[in-house]
Amino acid sequence: MSAPVKAEARSRPAPSRPAGHPRPRRHLFDTKISPYAYISPFFLLFFAFGLFPLAYTAWVSLYDWNLLSSEQTFVGLDNYTELLADEYFWNAAFNTLSIGVLSAVPQLLFALWLAHLLNRPLRAQTFFRVTLLLPNVTSVVAVVVIFSQLFGREFGLINMVLEAFGLGRIDWQAGTATSHAAIATMIMWRWTGYNALIYLAAMQAVPRELYEAATLDGASTFRQLVSITIPMIRPTIIFTVIVSTIGSMQVIAEPMLFGAQVSAGAMATGGADRQFQTLALYLYEQGFRSFEFGYASAAAWVMFLLVVIVVGINFLLVRRMRGSLDS
Amino acid sequence: MTNRHTTSIRRAWQSIASRPLTYLTLTAVAFFSAFPIYWSVVVASHDNSALAQIPPPLLPGGNFFANVARVFDTAPFQLALLNSVLVAGSITISVMLFSTLAGFAFAKLRFRGRNALLVLVIATMMVPTQLGIIPLYMMMIKLEWTGTMYAVIVPSLVSAFGVFFMTQYLSRALPTELIEAGRVDGASTWALFWRVVLPIARPAAAVLGMLTFMTAWNDYFWPLVVLTPENPTVQVALSQLAAGYVQDFTLGLAGTAVATLPLVLVFALLGRHIIGGIMQGAVKG
């Protein structure tokens, strides 16, 4: 991603100062040292509050470290072995994966299609774009409060509509599948428009001549989407798949607040039966409800490993998609 | 943007029969994007008994301000709003300033290790922040910042995304010749930053500022962890309001409206620019 910057540096014209005209020392200091002064506020704060905690997590994870006791004992990898045998951890891993797939796959496909629709000369372009991004401006707390009302068992609008069509009411929060669907809907609502705009930006860089030629050849718009647009914006698709994957591995506020909305005790557990507790919520429960910092740090590292693995798999899958498209 | 299209293409595309369907789809999507926000205002402007009716009310009622008043009685919302303005405001100013400074250095100045440092910035944008949250919390305890706004503000004073965003913008928008010309005239780098870079950076910095303000205003998880219920930000106060044992939807959604509507209004007014910024960042991303 640093390629454009490098190219910029290379194409930079040579200093216009005539040869033999010596630079004053103060000037030399100014050009050689001052860049570090400009990036130092960022890097000082970034190291202290960004990178150092990341590294320190690994250290803490090797200890039996509880906020409530003053002693920390070194336990090596015990936290990790305990974690891997913890059924609540695996339950959370399953929920995270399920909610991630349910929200990300339809979201990205839909965003692609929306961007395709918007990538034509249309009236009211700006209006459509602004409304599309409106959900993204809404805070996650607001989204969950609003959707918890919509998905409510008694007075929820969605159940009222279902009933009007002769379908029964659904207790959305109680079941595993239904609660995952409800949470995935909240995530989709908030992020589809954002991804559509990212795709739209990439689509506008595709040469118009390609579409012109395809239209003359009689290719349908769907055919153009599959044969021109998707191959041309593949780097952007890979980018959004990775970002969405990282995002869905970190889902926490939605299940936390969804649980808090329905029963006050379910905030950290993600429902009475942990039916929608995600990995990040499990980390929160261990770290900030039980104050088992060592154990929670181990969970953070395993979570990070899982993120890397899932992102890697997705990256390979999207890359392979190219093969099937080109052939 | 439409200037870029040739008329022949426009004509060809206009002939495609699916265009009414396009408008229909986009209108439906616009409806579903806006409806939940509208619905929250509708619920917030009725009393709880109105919600049990079938069919439910679809138009706003007359109780909105009474419910909002109840919000301020139930939770420390006034303090929360003040706190959020303080938090989001100081984070925004700091991110704008330090991102522009670092972006200028990365885009236009030459120094040893520049590319390696820039790669580090980009790489960390990909690492989940939750990974470091426990040590960060331990640091806040050590600094005795828990329960105060310092704990929310200081870790967010800089942003890797901001540096990346300004670097991308300035490497394109800032002519290197302008810097060189200033140098020949004897201006120091610092003077160049103030007189040449800042005016050119202003539009992108404004977009970054709006994005940062929204993110900081909407942040929930970290403030929840480090703050107390007595001294919350607006999102934390809102979650407390909504998480009662008794489900009081009108109260919860009136609070949501107070916390969300200002941002939605600002977005409706300035959304064009923000979208422009997101799309600009996306092309190069």
Side-chain angles (χ1 to χ4, degrees):
Chain A
M1 254 180 270
S2 61
V5 183
K6 266 187 212 154
E8 183 68 42
R10 251 183 264 117
S11 65
R12 197 176 144 152
S16 47
R17 189 177 289 272
H21 185 122
R23 289 166 179 239
R25 181 170 293 164
R26 207 186 48 179
H27 184 83
L28 212 67
F29 177 84
D30 184 49
T31 51
K32 290 280 181 226
I33 305 297
S34 75
Y36 294 105
Y38 295 158
I39 60 169
S40 60
F42 170 77
F43 275 102
L44 286 177
L45 286 160
F46 181 64
F47 276 116
F49 298 104
L51 286 183
F52 170 71
L54 285 183
Y56 200 50
T57 306
W59 178 253
V60 177
S61 77
L62 301 176
Y63 283 79
D64 183 10
W65 197 314
N66 191 303
L67 179 68
L68 308 173
S69 82
S70 54
E71 273 185 31
Q72 291 97 36
T73 18
F74 183 82
V75 293
L77 296 176
D78 281 6
N79 283 328
Y80 290 91
T81 44
E82 198 184 328
L83 191 74
L84 295 179
D86 184 341
E87 58 167 313
Y88 290 155
F89 172 78
W90 291 110
N91 169 62
F94 164 76
N95 290 343
T96 307
L97 202 66
S98 160
I99 293 171
V101 171
L102 280 176
S103 60
V105 174
Q107 180 193 147
L108 294 182
L109 289 176
F110 194 49
L112 202 56
W113 185 52
L114 273 178
H116 178 64
L117 291 184
L118 278 167
N119 189 29
R120 320 174 183 192
L122 287 174
R123 283 169 205 284
Q125 273 273 7
T126 311
F127 169 77
F128 286 127
R129 289 184 194 175
V130 171
T131 44
L132 213 59
L133 204 62
L134 197 58
N136 198 243
V137 178
T138 314
S139 74
V140 64
V141 185
V143 172
V144 184
V145 172
I146 294 169
F147 276 81
S148 296
Q149 203 281 328
L150 289 171
F151 280 112
R153 190 179 51 187
E154 301 298 331
F155 309 126
L157 195 64
I158 292 172
N159 271 352
M160 283 186 186
V161 171
L162 285 180
E163 205 157 59
F165 282 100
L167 304 155
R169 287 169 181 274
I170 294 174
D171 192 350
W172 290 96
Q173 184 263 334
T176 303
T178 52
S179 62
H180 289 193
I183 290 171
T185 307
M186 299 175 200
I187 299 168
M188 269 183 70
W189 184 73
R190 188 142 171 258
W191 290 103
T192 303
Y194 175 83
N195 283 307
L197 285 182
I198 303 267
Y199 288 146
L200 179 60
M203 285 178 188
Q204 293 190 335
V206 178
R208 297 280 147 190
E209 297 77 39
L210 290 177
Y211 295 109
E212 196 172 13
T215 308
L216 289 175
D217 289 346
S220 68
T221 49
F222 181 73
R223 179 78 216 182
Q224 292 182 18
L225 173 68
V226 173
S227 302
I228 301 174
T229 311
I230 292 178
M232 291 294 287
I233 67 164
R234 193 179 302 116
T236 309
I237 294 180
I238 293 177
F239 171 78
T240 55
V241 167
I242 290 173
V243 169
S244 311
T245 309
I246 293 173
S248 37
M249 295 299 281
Q250 297 187 73
V251 165
I252 180 163
E254 289 89 351
M256 182 188 256
L257 284 156
F258 195 44
Q261 284 272 288
V262 279
S263 57
M267 186 160 171
T269 55
D273 302 323
R274 296 173 187 267
Q275 68 270 34
F276 50 89
Q277 185 180 43
T278 56
L279 278 174
L281 191 53
Y282 176 80
L283 192 155
Y284 172 81
E285 186 191 9
Q286 295 304 321
F288 299 106
R289 279 290 172 269
S290 315
F291 295 109
E292 295 286 355
F293 287 164
Y295 194 64
S297 296
W301 267 103
V302 175
M303 204 177 114
F304 178 61
L305 273 181
L306 290 177
V307 172
V308 171
I309 292 171
V310 176
V311 167
I313 291 172
N314 279 351
F315 178 71
L316 291 178
L317 281 178
V318 183
R319 275 239 323 232
R320 280 193 56 179
M321 202 175 79
R322 163 177 55 181
S324 65
L325 272 174
D326 287 348
S327 59
Chain B
M1 231 163 284
T2 41
N3 310 347
R4 291 215 330 249
H5 305 303
T6 62
T7 40
S8 72
I9 296 181
R10 183 177 297 170
R11 220 171 281 138
W13 278 12
Q14 273 171 349
S15 71
I16 292 166
S18 67
R19 284 198 62 182
L21 203 65
T22 301
Y23 280 107
L24 200 69
T25 312
L26 290 175
T27 310
V29 170
F31 173 79
F32 280 111
S33 296
F35 181 76
I37 297 171
Y38 169 76
W39 176 247
S40 69
V41 175
V42 170
V43 174
S45 59
H46 287 274
D47 56 37
N48 274 309
S49 65
L51 295 177
Q53 291 168 7
I54 293 176
L58 288 175
L59 291 173
N63 273 9
F64 185 74
F65 292 103
N67 287 332
V68 169
R70 226 150 47 86
V71 167
F72 282 91
D73 287 341
T74 317
F77 236 65
Q78 220 155 339
L79 177 67
L81 282 169
L82 269 175
N83 281 339
S84 279
V85 169
L86 174 75
V87 165
S90 41
I91 290 175
T92 302
I93 292 170
S94 162
V95 166
M96 280 166 73
L97 178 68
F98 291 146
S99 301
T100 311
L101 262 176
F104 167 50
F106 278 128
K108 294 290 157 176
L109 302 179
R110 295 221 248 183
F111 52 97
R112 200 181 281 272
R114 180 180 77 165
N115 284 324
L117 287 171
L118 190 57
V119 167
L120 180 70
V121 172
I122 293 164
T124 46
M125 280 164 62
M126 288 291 190
V127 179
T129 47
Q130 287 165 350
L131 188 59
I133 210 127
I134 285 160
L136 196 59
Y137 182 69
M138 291 160 65
M139 284 168 74
M140 294 303 138
I141 294 176
K142 270 260 154 45
L143 293 166
E144 297 183 0
W145 280 355
T146 47
T148 72
M149 291 307 130
Y150 290 115
V152 186
I153 295 172
V154 177
S156 300
L157 282 178
V158 294
S159 118
F161 167 77
V163 171
F164 175 67
F165 184 82
M166 291 311 293
T167 303
Q168 292 288 14
Y169 178 79
L170 286 175
S171 62
R172 268 173 297 145
L174 180 63
T176 310
E177 295 75 28
L178 219 55
I179 306 272
E180 294 299 336
R183 283 259 160 76
V184 171
D185 290 346
S188 69
T189 316
W190 183 243
L192 283 172
F193 177 73
W194 280 103
R195 293 198 208 124
V196 180
V197 180
L198 268 192
I200 290 176
R202 197 177 289 151
V207 170
L208 176 65
M210 284 187 278
L211 287 172
T212 307
F213 191 90
M214 283 180 184
T215 312
W217 184 270
N218 285 336
D219 193 17
Y220 168 65
F221 181 61
W222 178 244
L224 174 81
V225 167
V226 284
L227 294 182
T228 57
E230 295 78 39
N231 192 22
T233 58
V234 83
Q235 302 300 337
V236 175
L238 181 60
S239 70
Q240 290 161 6
L241 199 66
Y245 281 90
V246 184
Q247 282 193 336
D248 190 339
F249 287 129
T250 58
L251 184 71
L253 290 168
T256 307
V258 172
T260 311
L261 281 187
L263 223 50
V264 168
L265 288 180
V266 169
F267 180 71
L269 290 173
L270 302 173
R272 292 158 43 99
H273 304 286
I274 299 177
I275 286 169
I278 290 176
M279 292 189 42
Q280 223 170 38
V283 179
K284 284 280 181 168

